[in-house]
Amino acid sequence: MTDHSDSQSGTTRRDVLRASMMAGAAASLWPASMALATSPHHDAIRAAALANREADIARIQDWIRLPSIAAENLNMPDGAEYMAEMIREVGFTDVEIVATDGHPGVFGLMDNGAERTLGIYFMYDVKQFDPSEWRSHPIEAHIVEVDGFGRAIMGRGAVNQKGPEATFLAALRAMRDAGVAPPVNLVFVAEGEEEIASPNFHQILARPHIRDAFARAEGVFMPSASQGANGEVTVNLGAKGAVELEIVSSGESWGRGPTHDIHSSLNPIVDSPAWRLVNALNTLTTDMGNRPAVDGWYENVRALTDRERALAVGWARRADETALMSALGVSHWVDDMDFEDAIVRLAQEPSINIQGLVGGYTGPGGKTILPHRAVAKIDLRLVPNQTREEAERKLRAHLDAAGYPDIEVNVSGGYGPTETAEDSRLIQSQLAAYSALGVETAINPRVAGSWPGVTFTAPPLSKPAGHFGMGYGTGAHAPNEYFVIEPTREGIAGITDATMSYVEMLYQLASAA
Amino acid sequence: MTDHSDSQSGTTRRDVLRASMMAGAAASLWPASMALATSPHHDAIRAAALANREADIARIQDWIRLPSIAAENLNMPDGAEYMAEMIREVGFTDVEIVATDGHPGVFGLMDNGAERTLGIYFMYDVKQFDPSEWRSHPIEAHIVEVDGFGRAIMGRGAVNQKGPEATFLAALRAMRDAGVAPPVNLVFVAEGEEEIASPNFHQILARPHIRDAFARAEGVFMPSASQGANGEVTVNLGAKGAVELEIVSSGESWGRGPTHDIHSSLNPIVDSPAWRLVNALNTLTTDMGNRPAVDGWYENVRALTDRERALAVGWARRADETALMSALGVSHWVDDMDFEDAIVRLAQEPSINIQGLVGGYTGPGGKTILPHRAVAKIDLRLVPNQTREEAERKLRAHLDAAGYPDIEVNVSGGYGPTETAEDSRLIQSQLAAYSALGVETAINPRVAGSWPGVTFTAPPLSKPAGHFGMGYGTGAHAPNEYFVIEPTREGIAGITDATMSYVEMLYQLASAA
């Protein structure tokens, strides 16, 4: 996932962050009848999964050893080929590498003669890494012991997203080896640019034969190790959209400031692009950055429904506010609001965040320059019914109207918000699967983080979309990323139980009302 | 000098920058009688200087090979020892290493039985360097050929300030070898922290015996290769003060933002120190950064005198505005003012400059974090009668009153403005020396750049202070710094002529009315 996860390492913080992004209710709110579902052929498939266990683990390790990093143009064609071969091996047909203006995607079909079809979304790329920060080399994918959790594969992509994805493929392999056809047809798509905000993913889905294949699906999911440290899983009904961009003030564009760094003593007679950036940024938000002030930003923002608000409040009431504050290192929510209001606000509000400021001299001490260029790295978080196009257009118009037509807005990637109906067959069968597996479940009306689910949920496809899967891991985007394969902690699924969770989900979807 | 010079390399830009910092009038405005002065013993001293020439050059090279860099704590005690030995060698007595809370200075006396005493200020430290950016290794101090200028010593400190300083010592050596006592007594002080804004230099001058020694001086100068590419020199009547500081917004100090970087999606519920920095900075200036808006900032700012204004206008009328704009890469002065007004404004106005912005993620692309800390690197330029203490106090009070008591102001160094009377014996003898040497001279009422002359010009010493010296070089604070020793360009002094300019200056001071 792009950024559901913390950029810092540490189990506790990721767990709390996960919690901070959801606002849900216990699975026990859901029909008890669903909790009784069991998948056919369970014992045979499980036996096959157990027989495949070592090979399945080795496959995850092998995949990690081929890191594809779009930002560094590392192993991209090889990564796509590897992805294609992985799905061929478990029975997908019509597998193709799909070119884009950026790095290629992968498409495939599996017609199981079933009534219903499920869409599957993978990423084959991983986040950058610095081996010096890791206790175990990030692409050697060693099996390590993680205190309190058990044996895990440690490496870049272990949990984000190769481990869970390969575990889903292990489920298909187990069914094949058990002689059981999956109960739904599958359509598969993978991209290699998820970690750079999926700038070209829409091009893959725009291919008519791919779009038509997904149009037949009940919904789409991405495999995910969705369990928290306490074993609870979250089912998300949506996610905010995210747009990553740089706001750039430069003498070159402005025509007033210098075109190169000059001596700082000239500030009285040469206009400063750095000051201009500060002035322009200052118009973008109010309330100390907590509320977007871009003209028309809230025009299409819809308020949370009563149900969504209730889910958020329900989650807040069950959560440990003190632990969350401690993990984040904060002592007040914005405006000193109480926790329930904060969790509702987290789901409700769009935001304009400063990720970074960089301009002029950034080293130790000072340097007497007047910089010709300064940049703010920004991410916009969008809520329904905002769109990426709207956000970019309004930001540009706001800067123009505020007198900053020269200030550049360089968007590197992004997408609008994802929304999926709670009563959709995809969500109901996910809840039913977790219930059948005896897993505590919370429903999150809207993740504050983002993934490109909108590519499926927006027209023309307009499909339900989300994540699914048991298992546990942490360290996405951080050092020491791992995916637990043999847990010692109660309630956490190991690789075989996680494999079986996908089997369960396929059967639930096949049989859902 | 701390920052008279451009941080970029290139002869043209430095020349133009030098021009941009001065506003003066031709020497021909000054009494013609002075232009007839000649120094006694000229031929004998010049013969000695010529005899010493190769050794003098070798001494500059040798000194460059011992770079003392305060910011890196590199060779500081060794640099002070070397400095002390250099002045002992030319006849200073009572030489001592003077401890400070930072790096040591050096003090020495030369009693020549003369009526008048001159103070000399040296720096023995140099700016940082990156050898990979240089065409000739910065501490190997090779002799190189510079197109259009001739043979030069290239190395860190060549012109800023070891070359000119060693050339002044060469003048004393030549007099000694010619058997001529210098016509004035000398008191000497050097510091090793000039390049970090002289944070402890005042401690050296606060020593009673050092203060008393300087109290006997007519004035103080720092040797300088003051010629521009056209041979003209500038005599400065003052310089702005400079204070370097960082303005820091952090969750730790604020108590509201996070104490570490957290996931950017939390922006709706966690306060952002980066936004807070932007908001706070925005209160510090108006007019797109061109006018300080700190409460009371102008309280003690005195307007330029009519004479100072006339000098500035006079300089502007002689200068090439188009070339200056081109070198700076600007097409408009602030407020679209005309060039004369801009040059007056440069001398008149204090400024609050953003040197750099650095916070959160500063690498390529984006990273979805909400940073816990963001910093603006700032330099304040102060004009008479502002003081450093006043500026720090008012900046703090302004932030407090504006609601930012948690935002830190971390001052790394600085000093108030320098002012020296045009009719002082120091300035008049400098003008007379240049005139005697047939050098075109401009008077600059106030350098927009800064040096710690205020340590001498403010009470309790209240002495005239400035720079003096012929010769040419460029690249201070930049790669490929050099000091011309054997010029091919008409009007530029080589090492012997530069040496003799110091001799001339000493005699002019001794005989000035």
Side-chain angles (χ1 to χ4, degrees):
Chain A
M1 57 194 83
T2 299
D3 60 1
H4 287 192
S5 308
D6 200 351
S7 58
Q8 308 296 314
S9 59
T11 297
T12 308
R13 293 192 45 221
R14 180 182 156 102
D15 290 342
V16 176
L17 185 71
R18 179 202 308 275
S20 79
M21 292 182 181
M22 68 189 194
S28 58
L29 291 173
W30 296 101
S33 62
M34 284 188 171
L36 304 176
T38 54
S39 59
H41 316 293
H42 175 275
D43 293 350
I45 298 169
R46 187 173 185 91
L50 281 167
N52 290 340
R53 190 173 173 283
E54 294 310 313
D56 289 340
I57 291 169
R59 278 192 183 87
I60 299 173
Q61 292 175 295
D62 192 59
W63 195 10
I64 290 171
R65 289 168 190 145
L66 180 72
S68 297
I69 299 178
E72 299 177 353
N73 196 17
L74 179 71
N75 298 324
M76 298 309 296
D78 287 353
E81 263 314 331
Y82 193 99
M83 180 82 269
E85 188 50 37
M86 285 184 86
I87 65 169
R88 275 190 205 104
E89 188 268 335
V90 295
F92 279 88
T93 62
D94 303 274
V95 175
E96 67 178 291
I97 306 286
V98 185
T100 73
D101 289 346
H103 298 294
V106 178
F107 172 69
L109 296 171
M110 188 188 290
D111 181 352
N112 296 311
E115 186 185 338
R116 292 178 180 161
T117 296
L118 177 65
I120 304 295
Y121 164 69
F122 273 30
M123 55 188 281
Y124 69 82
D125 61 322
V126 297
K127 203 72 178 176
Q128 298 98 312
F129 54 85
D130 176 355
S132 71
E133 299 174 341
W134 290 60
R135 58 178 263 213
S136 173
H137 195 287
I139 64 171
E140 290 177 3
H142 294 294
I143 307 291
V144 302
E145 197 70 37
V146 177
D147 278 355
F149 288 90
R151 282 156 60 83
I153 299 172
M154 181 168 285
R156 175 51 83 226
V159 69
N160 175 205
Q161 202 73 5
K162 289 177 172 177
E165 290 172 345
T167 303
F168 174 75
L169 298 183
L172 301 181
R173 189 177 301 111
M175 284 189 269
R176 179 196 67 194
D177 292 353
V180 176
V184 294
N185 306 316
L186 299 172
V187 296
F188 174 97
V189 69
E191 67 165 317
E193 300 184 321
E194 208 275 354
E195 294 294 8
I196 56 170
S198 306
N200 301 294
F201 183 49
H202 62 282
Q203 294 178 0
I204 300 172
L205 269 295
R207 301 272 182 124
H209 67 296
I210 297 177
R211 188 186 59 222
D212 291 348
F214 274 87
R216 292 189 293 270
E218 293 291 329
V220 182
F221 83 78
M222 171 182 249
S224 168
S226 295
Q227 291 190 284
N230 64 357
E232 185 177 274
V233 298
T234 300
V235 171
N236 301 312
L237 302 182
K240 289 185 183 176
V243 181
E244 292 211 52
L245 55 91
E246 291 189 342
I247 294 181
V248 182
S249 172
S250 74
E252 298 91 316
S253 294
W254 192 11
R256 298 195 61 92
T259 55
H260 47 249
D261 293 350
I262 64 172
H263 195 275
S264 67
S265 63
L266 291 157
N267 192 194
I269 62 168
V270 178
D271 289 293
S272 164
W275 274 115
R276 186 165 177 78
L277 178 70
V278 168
N279 293 168
L281 288 177
N282 207 57
T283 70
L284 297 184
T285 61
T286 59
D287 302 325
M288 205 64 77
N290 291 328
R291 188 175 171 86
V294 173
D295 303 335
W297 205 247
Y298 285 83
E299 180 186 1
N300 296 315
V301 170
R302 76 159 175 79
L304 291 176
T305 63
D306 288 347
R307 171 65 180 161
E308 287 168 333
R309 180 175 291 264
L311 288 170
V313 169
W315 183 83
R317 287 185 181 155
R318 298 168 59 213
D320 184 343
E321 179 186 13
T322 305
L324 179 56
M325 280 190 157
S326 169
L328 296 175
V330 302
S331 52
H332 308 267
W333 305 116
V334 300
D335 297 336
D336 295 328
M337 56 178 53
D338 66 28
F339 190 45
E340 289 180 17
D341 288 345
I343 294 302
V344 170
R345 189 178 204 274
L346 182 61
Q348 172 68 76
E349 283 291 305
S351 58
I352 299 180
N353 175 65
I354 297 177
Q355 300 177 354
L357 292 170
V358 54
Y361 179 68
T362 59
K367 186 177 180 186
T368 47
I369 59 167
L370 188 165
H372 73 106
R373 188 170 188 273
V375 177
K377 293 172 184 285
I378 299 282
D379 59 76
L380 312 175
R381 300 285 168 170
L382 308 179
V383 299
N385 297 315
Q386 294 181 292
T387 68
R388 171 180 165 172
E389 178 281 324
E390 172 198 3
E392 291 185 30
R393 174 170 42 82
K394 287 180 173 175
L395 179 57
R396 179 70 270 162
H398 172 93
L399 288 170
D400 290 349
Y404 303 100
D406 54 292
I407 288 192
E408 298 164 50
V409 176
N410 298 329
V411 177
S412 56
Y415 35 77
T418 299
E419 275 196 294
T420 287
E422 187 179 356
D423 62 1
S424 65
R425 210 170 261 154
L426 182 80
I427 299 300
Q428 289 300 314
S429 53
Q430 290 188 353
L431 293 169
Y434 288 132
S435 179
L437 296 162
V439 185
E440 283 285 308
T441 309
I443 300 179
N444 183 358
R446 183 181 298 155
V447 179
S450 306
W451 74 294
V454 66
T455 316
F456 305 110
T457 61
L461 287 174
S462 304
K463 296 292 175 182
H467 299 301
F468 178 84
M470 288 179 63
Y472 180 80
T474 188
H477 300 196
N480 303 325
E481 178 179 354
Y482 66 83
F483 176 57
V484 172
I485 51 170
E486 192 177 312
T488 54
R489 191 184 187 92
E490 195 176 0
I492 298 292
I495 190 164
T496 304
D497 286 339
T499 299
M500 293 308 295
S501 75
Y502 296 110
V503 173
E504 183 65 35
M505 199 275 169
L506 299 183
Y507 279 100
Q508 290 291 348
L509 182 68
S511 63
Chain B
M1 55 195 84
T2 300
D3 60 0
H4 287 191
S5 309
D6 200 353
S7 59
Q8 307 297 315
S9 59
T11 297
T12 306
R13 293 192 45 220
R14 180 181 154 101
D15 290 342
V16 176
L17 184 71
R18 177 200 311 272
S20 79
M21 291 184 184
M22 67 188 194
S28 58
L29 292 172
W30 296 97
S33 62
M34 284 191 173
L36 304 177
T38 53
S39 60
H41 315 294
H42 175 278
D43 293 351
I45 298 170
R46 186 173 184 89
L50 280 167
N52 289 341
R53 188 174 174 283
E54 294 311 314
D56 288 341
I57 291 168
R59 278 192 182 86
I60 298 173
Q61 293 174 293
D62 193 58
W63 196 9
I64 290 170
R65 291 169 189 145
L66 181 72
S68 297
I69 300 178
E72 299 177 354
N73 196 18
L74 179 71
N75 298 324
M76 298 309 297
D78 287 353
E81 263 313 333
Y82 193 100
M83 180 83 268
E85 188 51 38
M86 285 184 85
I87 66 169
R88 276 190 205 102
E89 189 268 335
V90 295
F92 279 89
T93 63
D94 303 274
V95 175
E96 65 178 292
I97 306 287
V98 186
T100 73
D101 288 346
H103 299 293
V106 179
F107 172 69
L109 295 171
M110 189 187 289
D111 181 352
N112 296 311
E115 185 185 336
R116 292 179 179 160
T117 297
L118 177 64
I120 304 294
Y121 165 69
F122 273 30
M123 56 190 279
Y124 69 82
D125 61 322
V126 297
K127 202 73 177 176
Q128 298 97 312
F129 54 85
D130 176 354
S132 71
E133 298 174 343
W134 290 60
R135 59 178 263 213
S136 173
H137 195 286
I139 64 170
E140 290 178 2
H142 294 294
I143 308 291
V144 301
E145 196 69 39
V146 177
D147 278 355
F149 287 90
R151 282 155 61 83
I153 300 172
M154 181 167 287
R156 174 51 83 227
V159 70
N160 173 205
Q161 203 74 350
K162 289 177 172 177
E165 288 173 347
T167 303
F168 174 75
L169 299 183
L172 300 181
R173 190 177 300 110
M175 284 190 269
R176 179 196 67 194
D177 293 353
V180 177
V184 294
N185 307 317
L186 299 173
V187 295
F188 175 96
V189 69
E191 67 165 318
E193 299 184 323
E194 207 273 353
E195 294 292 8
I196 57 169
S198 305
N200 301 295
F201 183 49
H202 62 281
Q203 294 179 1
I204 300 172
L205 271 295
R207 301 270 182 126
H209 67 295
I210 297 176
R211 188 186 59 221
D212 292 349
F214 274 87
R216 293 190 293 271
E218 293 290 332
V220 183
F221 82 78
M222 172 182 248
S224 168
S226 294
Q227 292 191 282
N230 65 357
E232 186 177 274
V233 298
T234 300
V235 171
N236 300 313
L237 301 183
K240 290 186 184 176
V243 181
E244 292 209 52
L245 56 90
E246 291 188 341
I247 294 182
V248 182
S249 173
S250 74
E252 298 91 315
S253 294
W254 192 12
R256 298 195 59 93
T259 55
H260 47 248
D261 294 349
I262 63 172
H263 195 275
S264 67
S265 63
L266 292 158
N267 192 192
I269 63 169
V270 179
D271 289 294
S272 164
W275 274 116
R276 186 165 177 79
L277 178 71
V278 168
N279 292 169
L281 288 176
N282 206 58
T283 71
L284 297 183
T285 61
T286 58
D287 303 326
M288 204 65 75
N290 291 329
R291 187 173 172 86
V294 173
D295 303 336
W297 205 248
Y298 285 85
E299 180 187 1
N300 296 315
V301 170
R302 76 158 175 80
L304 291 175
T305 64
D306 289 347
R307 172 64 180 160
E308 288 168 331
R309 181 176 291 266
L311 289 170
V313 169
W315 183 84
R317 287 184 180 154
R318 298 168 58 213
D320 184 342
E321 179 186 14
T322 305
L324 179 55
M325 281 191 157
S326 169
L328 295 175
V330 301
S331 52
H332 307 267
W333 305 116
V334 300
D335 298 336
D336 294 330
M337 56 178 52
D338 68 29
F339 190 45
E340 289 181 15
D341 288 344
I343 294 303
V344 170
R345 190 178 204 275
L346 182 61
Q348 172 67 78
E349 283 291 307
S351 58
I352 300 180
N353 175 64
I354 297 177
Q355 301 177 352
L357 293 170
V358 53
Y361 178 69
T362 59
K367 186 177 179 187
T368 47
I369 59 168
L370 188 165
H372 72 106
R373 188 170 189 271
V375 178
K377 293 172 183 284
I378 298 282
D379 59 76
L380 312 175
R381 300 285 168 170
L382 308 179
V383 300
N385 298 317
Q386 294 181 291
T387 69
R388 170 181 166 172
E389 178 280 324
E390 172 198 4
E392 291 184 30
R393 175 170 42 84
K394 288 181 173 175
L395 179 57
R396 178 71 271 160
H398 172 93
L399 288 170
D400 290 349
Y404 303 99
D406 55 291
I407 286 192
E408 298 165 49
V409 176
N410 298 330
V411 177
S412 56
Y415 35 77
T418 299
E419 275 197 294
T420 286
E422 188 177 356
D423 62 1
S424 65
R425 211 171 260 154
L426 182 80
I427 298 300
Q428 290 300 314
S429 54
Q430 290 188 353
L431 293 169
Y434 288 132
S435 179
L437 296 163
V439 184
E440 283 286 309
T441 309
I443 299 180
N444 182 357
R446 183 180 300 155
V447 179
S450 306
W451 75 294
V454 67
T455 316
F456 306 109
T457 61
L461 287 173
S462 303
K463 295 292 176 184
H467 300 300
F468 177 85
M470 288 178 64
Y472 180 80
T474 188
H477 299 194
N480 302 326
E481 178 179 354
Y482 66 85
F483 176 57
V484 172
I485 51 170
E486 192 178 312
T488 53
R489 190 184 187 93
E490 194 174 0
I492 297 293
I495 190 165
T496 305
D497 286 340
T499 299
M500 294 307 295
S501 75
Y502 294 111
V503 174
E504 182 65 36
M505 199 277 168
L506 298 184
Y507 279 101
Q508 290 291 348
L509 183 68
S511 64

